Amino acid sequence: MNPNQPNTLPPAYFDDVYRANADPWQFETSPYEREKYATTLAALPRPHYERAFEIGCSLGVLTEQLAPRCGHLLAIDVADAPLERARQRCAQLPQVELRLMRIPEEFPQGHFDLILVSEVGYYWSPEDLARATNLLLEALPSGGQLLLVHWTPPVHDYPLTGDEVHEFFLQKAEATGPLRHVHGQRQETYRLDLLEKR
């Protein structure tokens, strides 16, 4: 690994963030987040996904909204504190499974017809982003969809920007790549891209 490359943010970073503030990014209260969640769900072209995988579910606010469109939704996070809140929020949703898991060191078995990478890719180092991408591609069957949603302004703590994450995945959607770019949109401070496995 190139010593000049930034490292993936460790679980302890997120433990500290949630220790200082139970909802550090105002997922539960922010009008910005509410609008972004609505845009995220509206970007999904199918009414139902049999097996979905959400990486970085945090407090489970989006998980709860996505669940009615899923036969089974595996939602993971690297920190215990937000997962506890997510378990409470999704307690009445039997199709939701919540797990403590760190990608790319760990990865669930099986295939998913929807994988959501929302506000998490910029926490990975370039090397881990590449490793995670390979695992995600293996987990998507032909026709499976990958939805990316990320904040675009740079954050000094984060190894990557949202744009760098999206551009990395979009390289896989060039003519001979394993993905097809279905659609994308850019808002003032975030972007969204939907890709599909060829």
Side-chain angles (χ1 to χ4, degrees):
M1 182 171 170
N2 180 346
N4 297 319
Q5 282 190 343
N7 293 320
T8 294
L9 295 182
Y13 173 93
F14 299 96
D15 291 336
D16 289 345
V17 166
Y18 285 105
R19 198 173 294 117
N21 184 340
D23 186 5
W25 291 281
Q26 287 84 53
F27 292 139
E28 296 177 327
T29 57
S30 157
Y32 162 80
E33 292 294 341
R34 196 159 41 247
E35 183 277 330
K36 189 182 69 179
Y37 292 151
T39 302
T40 298
L41 295 169
L44 294 171
R46 299 177 192 162
H48 183 81
Y49 294 86
E50 192 50 44
R51 292 195 79 229
F53 179 31
E54 180 189 5
I55 301 175
C57 65
S58 186
L59 306 173
V61 180
L62 181 57
T63 313
E64 181 184 29
Q65 296 176 43
L66 178 60
R69 293 175 64 177
C70 302
H72 179 260
L73 171 56
L74 172 61
I76 67 161
D77 206 276
V78 297
D80 267 318
L83 275 174
E84 195 49 48
R85 293 279 285 277
R87 285 188 185 98
Q88 295 166 15
R89 185 183 310 281
C90 298
Q92 304 305 312
L93 297 166
Q95 72 270 49
V96 174
E97 177 186 0
L98 291 148
R99 276 197 229 165
L100 184 71
M101 185 177 285
R102 184 181 183 187
I103 307 290
E105 290 82 359
E106 305 165 279
F107 202 86
Q109 293 186 320
H111 287 96
F112 300 93
D113 51 346
L114 172 65
I115 298 178
L116 178 61
V117 182
S118 177
E119 308 295 6
V120 70
Y122 42 52
Y123 298 134
W124 287 320
S125 66
E127 183 183 64
D128 279 348
L129 174 63
R131 287 173 61 202
T133 301
N134 289 336
L135 291 166
L136 295 173
L137 288 172
E138 287 175 21
L140 282 172
S142 178
Q145 295 181 338
L146 173 66
L147 183 62
L148 309 170
V149 188
H150 288 87
W151 173 264
T152 47
V155 180
H156 76 276
D157 280 356
Y158 299 174
L160 296 167
T161 66
D163 280 324
E164 287 171 332
V165 171
H166 284 238
E167 293 308 320
F168 185 84
F169 278 100
L170 287 169
Q171 288 172 8
K172 309 283 184 189
E174 290 172 358
T176 57
L179 295 171
R180 178 177 72 86
H181 189 227
V182 179
H183 66 82
Q185 55 181 287
R186 180 180 284 276
Q187 306 291 342
E188 187 179 348
T189 53
Y190 74 92
R191 66 182 291 183
L192 179 153
D193 285 288
L194 180 70
L195 301 118
E196 189 171 277
K197 181 86 171 278
R198 293 188 200 276

